[in-house]
């Protein structure tokens, strides 16, 4: 079971001080948070991709490439890589490059994004979002797995004899999750390829995500990638904690009320009841997070949103220190209990390279056996 942090990269005024951090401060804060994630023993840091205010992370690979040089162990991921408004050729090139720089410590979450105006900025039609996501990802897979690609589709110019460079590290592309908060078609797409499915799990009641995960698990088994309970599932979540739960509630309330993603709507108490938001003590964070398995099944990755709504970097780092000391060890131990032995871990680069080479060796043996049988007939 992996634990990590994802950031949407918002630039929001701190309601306690009235100060809005600069882009420079928030970009550097991303690096500090990723380093803290590694320091406390978490496993993953993921950044979003946005091309509009009040967000800053428009170039995830640049940020993650820098973080790769500052860390040694954690997986570097995306909270969303926009498979619709980005060209699949550029995604193939950028993330293969990052994969080399990070020695394989890379995976990514494909998504359509949730900001409609972005589409025309990149010459795209939001009404074609689902078909575009399906077609673009099919092309991306070919760019990563075939040395020479001839391709023609609906949403970009044809490719003739095209080779994407650099090639993926060890000829094994980064592992891909497909992220969705509302689209069963994306859950189906993830299952079709045997990829991971990431349910963002921060805006809606659990029943909403439970339905999408159930579709993904059922289709994963249907397409022959394993049994339903062996599918690769990731969840989002968010917390704010202090050792005393009422202190957490009092401190976080103005940030919740000011948050660009859900402020000025339901009360914090209603939002906590209806969504996975956890505001309270470390034990409350533990109990609520452990409850996710009751409706999502055994899953592989849990990411938390911790640096949004104007929270200062100092507070975010304090949150992570508390998590590392008082929450993470218990979550690791409790999630390991009763976990079926045949539920896989998140696929890692080294494991996937070994599987790839084993498959190549098996194919070679089969080919040689077929050739020998043909010679014997002659």
């Amino acid at each position: 079971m992996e634990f990590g942090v994802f950031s949407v990269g918002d630039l929001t005024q701190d309601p306690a001080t009235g100060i809005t951090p600069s882009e420079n401060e928030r970009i550097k804060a991303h690096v500090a948070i990723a380093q803290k994630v590694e320091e406390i023993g978490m496993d993953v840091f993921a950044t979003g991709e946005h091309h509009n205010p009040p967000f800053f992370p428009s170039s995830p690979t640049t940020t993650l490439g820098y973080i790769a040089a500052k860390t040694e162990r954690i997986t570097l991921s995306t909270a969303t890589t926009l498979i619709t408004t980005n060209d699949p050729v550029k995604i193939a090139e950028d993330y293969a490059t990052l994969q080399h720089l990070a020695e394989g410590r890379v995976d990514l979450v494909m998504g359509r994004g949730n900001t409609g105006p972005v589409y025309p900025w990149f010459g795209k039609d939001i009404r074609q979002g689902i078909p575009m996501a399906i077609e673009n990802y099919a092309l991306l897979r070919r760019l990563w797995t075939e040395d020479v690609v001839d391709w023609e589709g609906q949403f970009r110019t044809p490719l003739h004899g095209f080779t994407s460079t650099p090639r993926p590290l060890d000829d094994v592309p980064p592992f891909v999750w497909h992220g969705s908060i509302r689209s069963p078609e994306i859950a189906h797409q993830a299952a079709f390829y045997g990829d991971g499915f990431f349910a963002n799990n921060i805006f809606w009641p659990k029943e909403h995500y439970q339905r999408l995960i159930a579709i993904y698990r059922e289709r994963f088994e249907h397409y022959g990638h394993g049994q339903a309970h062996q599918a690769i599932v990731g969840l989002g979540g968010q917390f704010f904690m202090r050792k005393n739960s009422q202190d957490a509630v009092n401190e976080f309330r103005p940030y919740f009320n000011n948050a660009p993603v859900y402020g000025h709507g339901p009360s914090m108490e209603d939002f906590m009841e209806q969504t996975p938001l956890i505001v309270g003590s470390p034990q409350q964070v533990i109990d609520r997070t452990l409850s996710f398995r009751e409706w999502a099944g055994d899953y592989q990755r849990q990411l938390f949103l911790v640096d949004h709504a104007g929270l200062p970097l100092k507070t975010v780092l304090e949150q992570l220190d508390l998590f590392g000391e008082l929450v993470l060890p218990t979550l690791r131990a409790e999630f390991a209990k009763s976990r079926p032995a045949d539920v896989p871990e998140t696929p890692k680069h080294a494991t996937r390279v070994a599987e790839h080479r084993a498959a190549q060796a098996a194919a070679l043996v089969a080919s040689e056996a077929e050739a020998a049988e043909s010679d014997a007939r002659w």
Side-chain angles (χ1 to χ4, degrees):
M1 182 71 176
E2 294 182 317
F3 297 92
V5 164
F6 73 99
S7 175
V8 295
D10 60 309
L11 289 160
T12 304
Q13 183 184 70
D14 183 340
T17 64
I19 296 173
T20 301
S22 69
E23 292 175 327
N24 180 271
E25 289 170 329
R26 286 290 279 132
I27 290 169
K28 290 181 177 178
H30 251 43
V31 179
I33 292 167
Q35 290 175 301
K36 178 63 72 171
V37 164
E38 179 158 284
E39 177 190 322
I40 67 171
M42 296 178 87
D43 309 295
V44 183
F45 175 79
T47 178
E49 179 185 346
H50 296 277
H51 298 273
N52 58 291
F55 306 98
F56 69 84
S58 59
S59 182
T61 51
T62 304
T63 302
L64 294 177
Y66 186 80
I67 291 172
K70 297 287 186 177
T71 57
E72 297 179 354
R73 181 186 55 79
I74 57 172
T75 296
L76 308 174
S77 189
T78 56
T80 301
T81 296
L82 299 177
I83 189 62
T84 46
T85 51
N86 281 314
D87 186 345
V89 171
K90 198 68 173 73
I91 294 176
E93 295 171 340
D94 285 352
Y95 285 92
T97 301
L98 176 61
Q99 190 190 33
H100 282 272
L101 291 171
E103 299 293 346
R105 294 186 290 125
V106 175
D107 61 27
L108 61 161
V109 177
M110 297 292 178
R112 292 183 295 129
N114 58 8
T115 309
V118 170
Y119 281 77
W121 296 343
F122 289 88
K124 308 298 182 182
D125 184 348
I126 192 172
R127 294 170 296 183
Q128 297 296 321
I130 292 287
M132 203 182 311
I134 293 170
E135 180 180 292
N136 283 357
Y137 183 61
L139 172 56
L140 175 63
R141 285 182 64 91
R142 290 190 59 190
L143 291 167
W144 271 340
T145 58
E146 299 177 23
D147 289 337
V148 181
V149 174
D150 292 299
W151 179 90
E152 186 170 345
Q154 180 180 356
F155 298 110
R156 77 172 317 282
T157 53
L159 297 172
H160 301 292
F162 181 80
T163 298
S164 176
T165 59
R167 304 304 299 147
L169 179 64
D170 301 314
D171 293 322
V172 175
F175 182 72
V176 169
W177 308 75
H178 298 258
S180 177
I181 61 173
R182 58 184 174 269
S183 304
E185 296 93 339
I186 301 304
H188 192 129
Q189 180 186 38
F192 177 80
Y193 290 108
D195 295 336
F197 180 69
F198 188 82
N200 199 354
N201 195 37
I202 62 173
F203 294 123
W204 298 84
K206 66 179 184 299
E207 290 79 12
H208 179 81
Y209 298 104
Q210 189 176 27
R211 179 175 67 91
L212 291 174
I213 291 169
I215 291 171
Y216 164 66
R217 288 188 183 279
E218 187 275 327
R219 293 284 88 186
F220 183 93
E221 181 169 317
H222 170 81
Y223 287 117
H225 301 297
Q227 297 182 51
H229 74 281
Q230 296 173 313
I232 309 299
V233 174
L235 296 182
Q238 51 188 323
F239 66 78
F240 186 88
M241 65 178 153
R242 292 300 184 192
K243 291 184 179 180
N244 179 285
S245 61
Q246 193 58 50
D247 289 342
V249 169
N250 293 340
E251 185 177 349
F252 188 66
R253 189 180 301 280
Y255 293 97
F256 174 88
N257 292 339
N258 198 48
V261 292
Y262 46 55
H264 316 290
S267 71
M268 190 170 73
E269 285 72 16
D270 286 344
F271 205 83
M272 283 194 289
E273 180 181 351
Q274 296 170 18
T275 79
L277 173 65
I278 312 164
V279 181
S281 67
Q283 189 59 52
Q284 286 174 302
V285 174
I286 290 169
D287 293 342
R288 187 71 182 280
T289 304
L290 289 174
S291 75
F292 296 167
R293 184 167 58 178
E294 297 172 5
W295 54 265
D298 287 291
Y299 62 109
Q300 283 77 9
R301 177 175 287 182
Q302 175 67 59
L303 301 185
F304 294 102
L305 175 63
V306 297
D307 73 325
H308 63 124
L311 286 165
L313 176 61
K314 177 178 180 293
T315 301
V316 173
L317 299 181
E318 289 171 353
Q319 292 288 300
L320 292 174
D321 279 331
L322 281 171
F323 187 89
E325 178 185 358
L326 302 176
V327 176
L328 182 59
T330 301
L331 288 182
R332 287 204 190 279
E334 292 299 319
F335 271 108
K337 291 180 180 178
S338 305
R339 187 180 182 92
D342 63 344
V343 172
E345 299 177 352
T346 299
K348 292 291 194 298
H349 182 74
T351 303
R352 299 180 73 226
V353 169
E355 292 172 349
H356 175 67
R357 290 175 177 168
Q360 286 182 316
L364 178 61
V365 169
S367 176
E368 291 174 345
E370 183 178 348
E373 183 179 346
S374 177
D375 289 344
R377 285 199 299 269
W378 284 99

